[in-house]
Amino acid sequence: MSPAFRTMDVEPRTKGVLLEPFVHQVGGHSCVLRFNETTLCKPLVPREHQFYETLPAEMRKFTPQYKAVLIFVRFADEFGASGNIETKEQGVVSVRFEEDEDRNLCLIAYPLKGDHGTVDIVDNSDCEPKSKLLRWTNKKHLVLETEKSPKDWVRQHRKEEKMKSHKLEEEFEWLKKSEVLYYSVEKKGNISSQLKHYNPWSMKCHQQQLQRMKENAKHRNQYKFILLENLTSRYEVPCVLDLKMGTRQHGDDASEEKAANQIRKCQQSTSAVIGVRVCGMQVYQAGTGQLMFMNKYHGRKLSVQGFKEALFQFFHNGRYLRRELLGPVLKKLTELKAVLERQESYRFYSSSLLVIYDGKEWPEVTLDSDAEDLEDLSEESADESAGAYAYKPIGASSVDVRMIDFAHTTCRLYGEDSVVHEGQDAGYIFGLQSLIDIVTEISEESGE
C-alpha cells in the first residue's frame, strides 16, 4: 500500500453511498463529488491515479491525501466452509447512476468487487428515493416500473431529453456571460448551508457529469472514481481560490488541436506573462454579507494588474484585508517552491493550486495570562498583548495551500510516457515565484 494512503473506516456492508455535489468546487471541468464530510471523489484518470500512488513523500503535505476505504470480505475454503472476515484497502470506488420516475439522476458509489471481471450488481435499497427507480437487469436492459407503454415512454423520454439538453446549454452560456456573481446571504443563519444554493460552477460540473453518464448509459453504467481528502471540511465558510499554474497547460499526449487551443489560452492570459492565472474563486465577504464567485472565463481576461486586484479581493472580507493570512500563505508558497525545485523530471501540466481559508467571523476570547489553558494554545491561535491572550479558534486564521489536478502530470517514473523531461518544472516554479512576489506586494502595500 502506498504511504500516501490515509485509511477511512466504512461499515461492513455492500450497499451504496449516495454522492452529492461538492459545493465548494470553483474551477476545473472534472466533476468532484462529496462522498462524506471529509472525503471527496472524482473520476479516475490513470495518470492522476498513478501520481497519487507514487508521489514523493515531501510533496504529500501539499496535495490532498489519497484515501483508502476499508472493504470487508468474507471468504470460504475449498470445502465451502466460511472463514473469517478479512479487509482490503482501496482508494477507488465504482460509481453508477440510477434514475427515478421524475427523470432525476443520482450517483451511487460502491466498493470495487475485485480486480477481475465486472462489478456485481448490489442492493441499493438504502439509497433508493421514495419514488420508483429505473433498474438494470443482468442483461443491461432498462426496465421501467410504470404503467406507460414502452413506445409512449420512449417518445416522451426523447422529447424531454432534447428539452433538458437545450436548457443545459442555455444555462452554461449564461454562466459564461455571468463571469462574476454576487449573492446576498442571511448572516444570522447558517452561512455554510446556504452555499449549496449559490455556487454556479459546482452545479455546472455536476450536471455535465450526470449528462455524460446518462448519454453513455446504453453502453456503460459503471465508472471508477478515486477518493481524496476534502480540504474544505475543517472550515465553516470556505473561501477558495483556484489558480491554474505554469506557462504551459497541454500534456505531451495532447492532439495538435488541443495543444494549439491550450497555447492560445496561455498567450491570451496572465499564464504566459507570470505563469499563473485565476481559474475560479469563492469568497464570503462578511462585511457586506455577500458571496462572490468568479469563474475561469473572467480569470482568462485579467491583466497582471487585474490578477493582483483579484488576489487582493480574495483576501478582503468586505471591510478590511485579512492581513493575518498573508504571512502564512507566503511561508507555504516559499516552502512549496523549495520542494518542487528538488523534484527531477516532474511536469505538472494543467495542474492547479488551491488557497483556502475560513471566511467566517470568529469572536475573540480573552484569557488572563495565568489561565491554565494558555499552554495549550498554539502559536497560530494565540496573540499575546498586555498580559492577556486574545485568540480565535485554530481554523479562523489558518490557511491551506495545496496542489490539485494531475491528469496531465508526467515524470520519468511513468515508464510508458514517450517524452521524458529532465530537471525542474520551470513554468510551474516561475508561476509560484510570481505569486510570492504579488502577495508580498499586497502585504507591503497594506502596511503588513
Side-chain angles (χ1 to χ4, degrees):
M1 183 185 73
S2 165
F5 271 101
R6 291 297 182 270
T7 302
M8 175 182 60
D9 294 322
V10 172
E11 295 179 10
R13 56 186 248 182
T14 58
K15 298 181 179 180
V17 175
L18 176 64
L19 301 177
E20 301 175 354
F22 175 53
V23 299
H24 303 304
Q25 180 180 359
V26 299
H29 61 271
S30 181
C31 179
V32 180
L33 300 168
R34 182 183 182 275
F35 186 87
N36 61 29
E37 183 177 353
T38 61
T39 308
L40 304 177
C41 62
K42 61 181 295 190
L44 183 148
V45 176
R47 185 173 295 274
E48 182 171 45
H49 189 209
Q50 185 175 16
F51 169 82
Y52 278 112
E53 291 197 314
T54 61
L55 84 164
E58 62 179 343
M59 285 187 61
R60 288 180 202 143
K61 65 182 294 185
F62 293 107
T63 63
Q65 296 300 328
Y66 176 38
K67 292 204 169 186
V69 58
L70 286 181
I71 300 186
F72 295 79
V73 181
R74 188 178 296 277
F75 62 91
D77 60 22
E78 58 182 322
F79 302 106
S82 296
N84 296 323
I85 293 180
E86 63 178 12
T87 61
K88 295 170 62 180
E89 292 179 333
Q90 294 177 315
V92 180
V93 292
S94 176
V95 173
R96 304 205 308 268
F97 77 83
E98 282 89 14
E99 184 180 47
D100 64 24
E101 61 185 8
D102 296 321
R103 311 294 187 263
N104 295 316
L105 302 180
C106 57
L107 296 176
I108 314 296
Y110 300 101
L112 292 179
K113 289 296 182 179
D115 298 327
H116 305 286
T118 60
V119 176
D120 297 332
I121 301 299
V122 299
D123 179 18
N124 62 357
S125 59
D126 66 323
C127 55
E128 178 178 339
K130 292 182 180 179
S131 53
K132 296 177 181 178
L133 291 174
L134 292 176
R135 297 183 181 278
W136 288 92
T137 68
N138 291 332
K139 295 183 180 181
K140 306 297 186 193
H141 292 152
L142 282 172
V143 178
L144 180 65
E145 298 178 355
T146 180
E147 296 179 355
K148 289 184 178 181
S149 67
K151 289 185 178 180
D152 289 340
W153 180 82
V154 169
R155 190 180 300 111
Q156 179 67 18
H157 184 69
R158 287 177 177 173
K159 181 179 178 181
E160 291 179 357
E161 285 307 297
K162 289 182 179 180
M163 293 176 62
K164 285 184 179 181
S165 178
H166 181 66
K167 183 178 180 181
L168 203 58
E169 290 178 1
E170 289 181 341
E171 289 176 350
F172 295 162
E173 285 302 315
W174 170 83
L175 184 58
K176 285 185 178 181
K177 296 176 182 178
S178 306
E179 297 170 353
V180 180
L181 300 174
Y182 289 85
Y183 296 101
S184 295
V185 298
E186 178 54 55
K187 298 171 69 175
K188 295 182 180 180
N190 187 329
I191 300 170
S192 181
S193 65
Q194 296 180 58
L195 287 173
K196 66 181 66 176
H197 303 296
Y198 294 110
N199 189 335
W201 196 263
S202 169
M203 297 313 299
K204 167 187 178 295
C205 293
H206 187 249
Q207 290 174 17
Q208 284 184 326
Q209 181 69 39
L210 287 173
Q211 191 69 20
R212 283 194 295 267
M213 293 179 73
K214 187 173 183 180
E215 290 172 354
N216 294 329
K218 182 178 180 180
H219 309 287
R220 179 186 183 190
N221 187 31
Q222 175 181 306
Y223 297 80
K224 289 182 178 181
F225 278 53
I226 60 173
L227 298 173
L228 298 171
E229 173 189 7
N230 178 3
L231 299 173
T232 67
S233 63
R234 63 182 295 192
Y235 302 106
E236 288 287 327
V237 186
C239 294
V240 184
L241 176 64
D242 187 325
L243 299 171
K244 185 70 71 174
M245 301 299 297
T247 54
R248 169 181 163 176
Q249 301 302 325
H250 63 281
D252 293 322
D253 58 347
S255 65
E256 290 186 7
E257 180 181 0
K258 178 71 172 179
N261 186 43
Q262 292 295 339
I263 291 172
R264 177 182 55 81
K265 290 177 182 177
C266 288
Q267 291 176 339
Q268 295 178 353
S269 69
T270 56
S271 293
V273 184
I274 58 175
V276 56
R277 70 173 183 257
V278 173
C279 191
M281 184 192 302
Q282 167 184 296
V283 184
Y284 174 62
Q285 299 176 333
T288 59
Q290 288 186 319
L291 282 167
M292 188 276 281
F293 297 97
M294 180 185 296
N295 66 28
K296 67 179 182 181
Y297 304 111
H298 186 75
R300 291 176 191 167
K301 297 177 181 178
L302 295 175
S303 62
V304 174
Q305 179 61 30
F307 177 87
K308 179 179 177 180
E309 292 171 357
L311 220 58
F312 180 91
Q313 190 174 22
F314 175 68
F315 290 111
H316 202 283
N317 72 353
R319 285 199 302 262
Y320 55 84
L321 186 69
R322 293 285 300 274
R323 297 183 182 90
E324 78 278 9
L325 300 172
L326 302 182
V329 167
L330 286 171
K331 181 179 179 181
K332 293 187 177 184
L333 290 175
T334 302
E335 185 179 351
L336 173 59
K337 178 172 175 284
V339 168
L340 294 188
E341 287 174 341
R342 295 192 289 270
Q343 306 310 312
E344 286 288 327
S345 182
Y346 272 100
R347 294 296 182 273
F348 304 101
Y349 299 135
S350 199
S351 176
S352 284
L353 189 70
L354 289 186
V355 182
I356 311 171
Y357 71 88
D358 202 335
K360 179 180 176 64
E361 287 191 313
W362 296 89
E364 291 190 350
V365 179
T366 302
L367 294 177
D368 293 334
S369 57
D370 59 350
E372 294 180 359
D373 293 337
L374 288 182
E375 61 184 26
D376 297 327
L377 297 176
S378 68
E379 291 181 1
E380 293 184 358
S381 63
D383 179 25
E384 187 174 8
S385 175
Y389 283 82
Y391 73 100
K392 297 179 181 179
I394 296 288
S397 60
S398 66
V399 62
D400 210 352
V401 175
R402 304 286 187 104
M403 300 172 67
I404 62 167
D405 297 340
F406 304 100
H408 301 286
T409 293
T410 182
C411 175
R412 67 162 59 100
L413 298 175
Y414 305 170
E416 297 181 357
D417 287 355
S418 59
V419 179
V420 177
H421 299 271
E422 300 294 334
Q424 311 163 345
D425 188 339
Y428 197 111
I429 293 172
F430 172 61
L432 277 177
Q433 185 59 56
S434 298
L435 195 55
I436 290 170
D437 293 341
I438 293 174
V439 174
T440 299
E441 288 178 11
I442 293 174
S443 177
E444 292 175 349
E445 292 171 2
S446 65
E448 177 70 1

